[in-house]
Amino acid sequence: MAATVEISAREAEVLALVGQHLSNAEIGARLFISVRTVESHVSSLLRKLDVADRRALAQRASELATDRSHPAPVLPTPLTSFIGRSQELAELTEMIKSHRQVTAVGPGGVGKTRLALAVAAQADGDYPDGVWFVDLVPITDPGVLAGAVAGALGLGEQPGRGLDQTVFAALADRHALLVLDNCEHIRDGLAPFLERLLATCPRLTVLTTSRARLMVPFERVYSVPPMSLAGEGESDAVALFIDRASELHWPPDPVMRDHIASVCERLDGVALAIELAAARFPTLGLDGLTAGLSDQLRMLTGGPRADDRHRSVRAALDWSLALLEPTDRALLRQMSVFVTTFTIAAAAVVTRSETGVVADGLARLAEQSLLVVTASPNGTEYRALETIRQYGTERLAEADELADARSRHLRWCLATAADLAVVRADWRARFDAVADDLRAALTWAADRPQHRADAYRLARHLAELTFTRNLIGESQQRYEQAAALADDPAATASMLRHAAAAAGCRVRGDDMYRNYRAAADAAHRSGDTDGAASDLATAATNAYRFWSKFERLPPQAEVIALVAEARELAGDDAAAQAAVALAEAGVLTDAFGAAQGPPENAVPETIARAERAVALAHRTGDPLAESAALDALTGAQSWAGDTLATAVTTRRRIALLSSTPDTPASRHELIDALGGATEASLGAGDLPAARRWARQLADHPSLAEVGDRATSWLLVADALAGNVDEVLAGSVRFLEAWQRAGSPARSVLGPAVAGVGMIHSLRDDHEARREWNAVLDRLGPPPGYVYGYGAVFDGLLMLHHGRAGEALERMAPEPGEVWKWVTWIWLHWYVVLRTEAAVLAGTVDARDRLAEARTVVAGNPLAGAIVQRAEALLDDDRERLLATVDFFDSAGCPYQAARTMVLAGGEHAVRGAAAFADLGLAPMAQARRR
């Protein structure tokens, strides 16, 4: 049977070790392969040899064992398993097949030796005359190099012949592989020895490992990368950490794996650093390791080891530093001020050296694997691994050079930030490349009084840059930091206003309110009472305008007091007067909606105040102030039930803001205007426009932190239109964002959640409806659910199921009785659905309701078509009823088009049922009109 079974050389090795009753882990360690690879070979052998279990396989091992025709490899036995590196193993193995001298190059601790050993063990079958390993760490004199190789080969001195000649003679006709490990400290003496060796021994291949390439013409270099940090499944870095951590014998849960991955990433994937960190896991835990990463040199130490260089990361770096010339040591420590990649030009600025001199020095450091070199569109870039950077910083401090180097780095960061202020095509990539350096320089300078002015400038630059980069949370933080660093209270006030606007973009009303109040205090200190009045008035207005962005609304009395104080401070300044007028139009009239209905003359007074605020704002020539005043006017118009005027005003806001420069304040105002335009378009029956504005909101990068709010009105528009696929897809994004934010109880999300729930009910997906009802319950008692959007969505659903009487009961209150909840978006929807329910329920006043509804929704094409359809039903006028189908299709409302066909009955009902099926909705019940 042995003759018929084809077993590879590697399988034969595994089989022999199974016969010795070694475990898979022991076999992997012996052969320098992973446990997974061993498992694969064992499974293959079980299948090939047709045996049932491992015991039977061990029994067969003696029968099929083969006598190797060449010497066993002379390699040191590792004490730990070889993890990952499948790609590197394959690449380096292929390279030594094609080239006679290959150098595996990389920084200390990256894993060069282990990779070389694994390659040598795997390639053993390709070298019939043997594989030999020589550790050159103990060799300090190149003159004894031949003696070290001779010792590894088992050769002694021969009379009349030097050891080098003995080595050359012994290997002259051998097809063998020689591994020379750790060559960096004797590379000048090694190069001539290798040249003679390879010339004398034509069938010999030499694999060397070194922190620096040997710089000989016959050398081929393989750069050993850090352990992989990403990829399909578990990364090599995480697998190494888990294998080396003595208390991680079980598969960690996903959260722990993510934490481990983060630790490995902070360690740059350096194998030695990961192993040392894993060894500290039992005593520090992951939290302790993460905290210790800020001082890796202190944390990454181990017990006594045979190789002192691997006792700690510091020891490994001490070894590398000892190989450098003094000028290169100085350059390495000065480069430690750079947090990320840097160019030759940047290094020249920080070192105050000539570009050519710096370029030569950086090249030598890169050759010693102390800097990582990458090519970019902007030229060659360099980077120090984090452990090397921390090591260099220590050396800077020891040399008393740290403050000067940091100061020069700060000046470079200021110049770079100023240059980035000019946005060009490659702006994003350029900013990302230096952002961490700007942050680090600011952190250092902010704590030093002598650099306070520079720190203020850099904080202001970074605030503007991060805002442009759509890092809005950081932008707010940097504006607040700049405000704290500013020596001039006027500058403080300016920075705080920007911070408030950025907070508004993030839907952080409390921060917005706090920063405007702080800006008022700073303006007052600077003597700018008009500015203080504007800030106080704006803080009060925002508590009214953006109430849904607050976690905790300020007390009503406090806000009213702000308006009064602002009125006293405001002089003849037009901007201050406009801000106060806006606060009066909003805060004093609305009083946070405390009244249950508008008192006598409240609506005309509200409109009058809003129009005055608009007029005053227009005089200032400030489009942002005018937009805010127009927002107050839309609120007054919606109170008055003038839905169409409201829509016109919101479009006026959009036009006004379309050409304003992109600042935190203008972006915040535009986001609010887009929301207002969406809502007003929904109320006015313009669903295409509503979807257009809502899509801009959903895709706005500033709302990335609040994806639930960003997508909410798009969900409402699609639910009212009957765009089922869009609702289902958008609801997934909405729910993920809401859960990611901690499932906050935001009543403003109620319409979206209710709309999604209605769509699931229309699909007869009751389980999904229950899930979304649970979300609605989590939002708390939404103020508009009973008589506002809740009545509209419930009414649509009840009418779909043919329960017109129930729908009429659900919307029983007259619009004037529930005016607060049905203004703005829902008034026309509430009126027409209530009217259609009355027609289908056969109420005696159905025709009167039709006449009233026609008056209320005049100018709203979508609502008008629903009224026309209801009247056609009442008159049994099928032709007029069907005339609305084309309109509903063109108006972007496929649900109402399908509903109309079903209501028409006969063959039209069949078409309508098919349309509902195409939408993914359950069949509509045909109501019997009484």
Side-chain angles (χ1 to χ4, degrees):
M1 182 176 180
T4 63
V5 177
E6 185 176 341
I7 298 176
S8 69
R10 175 63 76 194
E11 287 175 337
E13 293 173 332
V14 172
L15 181 61
L17 296 175
V18 169
Q20 296 175 32
H21 304 288
L22 270 63
S23 69
N24 286 351
E26 291 170 327
I27 294 173
R30 184 75 62 87
L31 298 179
F32 302 94
I33 59 178
S34 70
V35 175
R36 291 180 181 176
T37 303
V38 176
E39 292 171 351
S40 176
H41 286 313
V42 170
S43 298
S44 177
L45 288 166
L46 289 170
R47 183 178 67 256
K48 288 182 177 181
L49 299 178
D50 194 24
V51 293
D53 54 29
R54 193 182 185 95
R55 178 178 297 178
L57 188 63
Q59 179 67 30
R60 296 292 301 276
S62 59
E63 302 172 10
L64 299 176
T66 56
D67 184 17
R68 297 175 65 89
S69 61
H70 60 275
V74 184
L75 302 173
T77 301
L79 301 178
T80 56
S81 57
F82 182 73
I83 301 296
R85 298 284 200 185
S86 58
Q87 180 177 344
E88 294 92 329
L89 190 60
E91 291 173 348
L92 189 51
T93 298
E94 284 300 312
M95 188 173 283
I96 63 173
K97 290 179 181 179
S98 305
H99 306 285
R100 294 187 59 212
Q101 196 272 302
V102 177
T103 303
V105 174
V110 79
K112 302 182 295 297
T113 299
R114 290 305 302 273
L115 179 61
L117 284 171
V119 168
Q122 182 166 286
D124 174 39
D126 298 330
Y127 298 94
D129 294 321
V131 174
W132 312 88
F133 180 90
V134 185
D135 183 5
L136 298 181
V137 168
I139 306 303
T140 57
D141 181 4
V144 298
L145 178 60
V149 176
L153 295 174
L155 303 174
E157 293 187 14
Q158 298 180 10
R161 177 183 287 181
L163 278 176
D164 53 348
Q165 294 176 319
T166 300
V167 169
F168 299 157
L171 296 176
D173 59 350
R174 291 196 182 187
H175 184 195
L177 173 66
L178 179 64
V179 180
L180 302 179
D181 192 36
N182 299 298
C183 303
E184 57 272 353
H185 59 298
I186 56 167
R187 61 177 185 158
D188 291 340
L190 178 62
F193 174 81
L194 276 181
E195 187 171 4
R196 292 168 59 202
L197 179 65
L198 292 170
T200 308
C201 310
R203 303 180 67 200
L204 181 70
T205 298
V206 180
L207 172 61
T208 59
T209 73
S210 176
R211 301 186 187 188
R213 59 185 302 174
L214 304 183
M215 303 298 288
V216 290
F218 48 82
E219 175 187 36
R220 293 295 181 271
V221 176
Y222 181 79
S223 296
V224 180
M227 302 292 286
S228 67
L229 297 168
E232 295 185 7
E234 184 175 84
S235 71
D236 287 351
V238 171
L240 178 65
F241 185 101
I242 293 173
D243 183 81
R244 301 299 193 260
S246 60
E247 292 191 2
L248 282 178
H249 296 303
W250 72 98
D253 59 65
V255 174
M256 179 176 283
R257 284 179 182 271
D258 289 345
H259 201 157
I260 293 172
S262 176
V263 169
C264 293
E265 186 174 1
R266 293 277 301 277
L267 297 173
D268 290 306
V270 176
L272 174 62
I274 293 172
E275 290 182 319
L276 292 172
R280 304 296 301 274
F281 169 78
T283 55
L284 290 177
L286 287 176
D287 292 341
L289 286 177
T290 302
L293 290 178
S294 60
D295 189 357
Q296 296 182 12
L297 300 176
R298 177 186 57 79
M299 184 188 73
L300 300 179
T301 58
R305 297 181 64 173
D307 184 353
D308 286 341
R309 297 170 310 135
H310 290 165
R311 291 183 58 185
S312 68
V313 170
R314 188 190 304 278
L317 292 173
D318 284 341
W319 169 272
S320 296
L321 199 69
L323 304 177
L324 300 179
E325 295 295 329
T327 54
D328 290 343
R329 293 179 195 173
L331 180 60
L332 179 65
R333 62 178 179 256
Q334 290 183 80
M335 292 306 94
S336 67
V337 297
F338 289 104
V339 178
T340 55
T341 58
F342 56 90
T343 62
I344 294 173
V349 171
V350 169
T351 59
R352 289 186 298 193
S353 303
E354 294 182 4
T355 302
V357 173
V358 170
D360 287 343
L362 294 178
R364 288 191 295 273
L365 293 176
E367 289 166 7
Q368 292 288 340
S369 299
L370 291 168
L371 293 177
V372 178
V373 187
T374 56
S376 77
N378 297 321
T380 304
E381 294 181 340
Y382 299 85
R383 181 176 71 89
L385 299 181
E386 180 60 21
T387 51
I388 295 175
R389 198 184 69 79
Q390 292 186 16
Y391 182 84
T393 302
E394 279 193 1
R395 294 291 178 264
L396 269 180
E398 290 173 1
D400 197 24
E401 299 171 352
L402 184 58
D404 286 343
R406 291 283 194 201
S407 297
R408 294 192 295 273
H409 179 250
L410 173 62
R411 289 193 289 274
W412 174 81
C413 286
L414 280 168
T416 302
D419 181 62
L420 283 169
V422 182
V423 178
R424 294 192 289 270
D426 61 342
W427 183 90
R428 177 172 176 164
R430 291 170 57 235
F431 171 78
D432 290 347
V434 301
D436 284 340
D437 273 295
L438 303 184
R439 294 171 180 128
L442 176 56
T443 299
W444 177 80
D447 293 334
R448 287 160 177 78
Q450 67 271 30
H451 293 291
R452 184 182 181 91
D454 286 339
Y456 163 74
R457 290 170 54 214
L458 186 53
R460 189 188 68 209
H461 281 314
L462 197 51
E464 295 165 351
L465 293 170
T466 51
F467 181 80
T468 304
R469 185 62 177 82
N470 287 310
L471 302 173
I472 310 302
E474 182 176 358
S475 178
Q476 177 190 335
Q477 174 194 348
R478 300 304 178 188
Y479 275 123
E480 291 178 0
Q481 187 177 17
L485 290 167
D487 291 327
D488 178 11
T492 298
S494 176
M495 294 297 101
L496 288 170
R497 290 169 192 139
H498 288 310
C505 294
R506 301 175 62 215
V507 196
R508 299 296 181 93
D510 305 76
D511 289 352
M512 184 169 48
Y513 182 80
R514 168 179 56 81
N515 278 312
Y516 269 120
R517 294 206 60 178
D521 291 340
H524 206 283
R525 291 196 306 274
S526 72
D528 181 12
T529 55
D530 288 322
S534 294
D535 292 331
L536 291 172
T538 302
T541 299
N542 287 347
Y544 153 73
R545 287 184 69 195
F546 306 115
W547 62 270
S548 66
K549 296 183 179 183
F550 282 74
E551 295 292 332
R552 188 188 67 83
L553 277 169
Q556 178 181 333
E558 176 180 306
V559 177
I560 293 175
L562 291 182
V563 178
E565 185 179 357
R567 190 187 299 113
E568 292 177 2
L569 289 174
D572 296 331
D573 181 72
Q577 289 182 346
V580 171
L582 177 58
E584 292 175 340
V587 177
L588 300 185
T589 301
D590 182 70
F592 293 94
Q596 294 301 309
E600 190 71 22
N601 297 325
V603 168
E605 181 182 351
T606 301
I607 292 177
R609 284 181 172 176
E611 288 177 341
R612 177 174 179 270
V614 170
L616 289 173
H618 182 71
R619 292 177 195 169
T620 67
D622 181 0
L624 304 187
E626 188 172 354
S627 173
L630 287 172
D631 186 37
L633 182 58
T634 60
Q637 290 167 335
S638 70
W639 270 31
D642 197 344
T643 302
L644 302 180
T646 301
V648 170
T649 304
T650 58
R651 289 195 295 270
R652 183 177 164 190
R653 288 184 68 194
I654 296 290
L656 189 65
L657 296 169
S658 61
S659 59
T660 56
D662 186 24
T663 66
S666 65
R667 190 180 296 185
H668 180 220
E669 193 66 33
L670 178 60
I671 289 171
D672 181 68
L674 288 172
T678 301
E679 298 171 39
S681 296
L682 288 172
D686 189 351
L687 291 182
R691 292 196 78 255
R692 185 169 65 253
W693 305 129
R695 171 56 63 189
Q696 290 188 40
L697 275 178
D699 295 339
H700 204 293
S702 292
L703 298 178
E705 293 182 28
V706 285
D708 49 354
R709 292 190 66 143
T711 58
S712 63
W713 285 115
L714 186 57
L715 284 174
V716 173
D718 282 326
L720 288 172
N723 297 324
V724 179
D725 289 343
E726 286 81 354
V727 171
L728 297 181
S731 65
V732 173
R733 176 182 171 187
F734 171 93
L735 195 58
E736 289 176 349
W738 181 68
Q739 291 171 340
R740 190 166 56 246
S743 304
R746 294 173 176 159
S747 61
V748 72
L749 303 178
V753 174
V756 174
M758 179 197 72
I759 290 296
H760 283 301
S761 290
L762 290 174
R763 299 176 69 243
D764 278 349
D765 189 343
H766 304 298
E767 181 178 352
R769 174 63 191 253
R770 284 191 293 272
E771 293 175 357
W772 284 89
N773 280 347
V775 175
L776 195 61
D777 292 340
R778 177 68 180 83
L779 297 180
Y785 184 76
V786 176
Y787 298 116
Y789 63 86
V792 168
F793 287 129
D794 286 349
L796 283 166
L797 183 61
M798 291 171 181
L799 289 173
H800 184 85
H801 290 304
R803 305 199 306 268
E806 293 180 40
L808 192 58
E809 291 178 9
R810 180 69 177 87
M811 295 178 286
E814 294 290 336
E817 298 175 24
V818 291
W819 66 275
K820 177 170 289 188
W821 312 123
V822 298
T823 55
W824 194 232
I825 302 171
W826 307 108
L827 175 61
H828 288 188
W829 288 96
Y830 186 87
V831 167
V832 299
L833 292 177
R834 189 168 176 269
T835 301
E836 183 171 298
V839 170
L840 291 172
T843 63
V844 296
D845 62 344
R847 197 166 296 279
D848 293 336
R849 294 192 183 212
L850 278 167
E852 181 181 351
R854 195 179 296 108
T855 301
V856 172
V857 305
N860 182 329
L862 183 59
I866 295 175
V867 171
Q868 178 183 332
R869 183 179 65 194
E871 187 173 30
L873 283 170
L874 185 61
D875 295 337
D876 288 328
D877 188 341
R878 179 179 294 185
E879 182 178 351
R880 190 150 50 97
L881 185 148
L882 289 172
T884 64
V885 173
D886 290 340
F887 170 78
F888 287 130
D889 280 332
S890 64
C893 197
Y895 176 84
Q896 293 298 340
R899 175 172 173 76
T900 303
M901 288 188 284
V902 174
L903 288 172
E907 62 181 15
H908 304 292
V910 175
R911 290 172 50 212
F916 276 131
D918 289 341
L919 289 172
L921 299 178
M924 181 186 124
Q926 177 65 275
R928 291 186 178 181
R929 184 167 57 85
R930 296 191 299 274

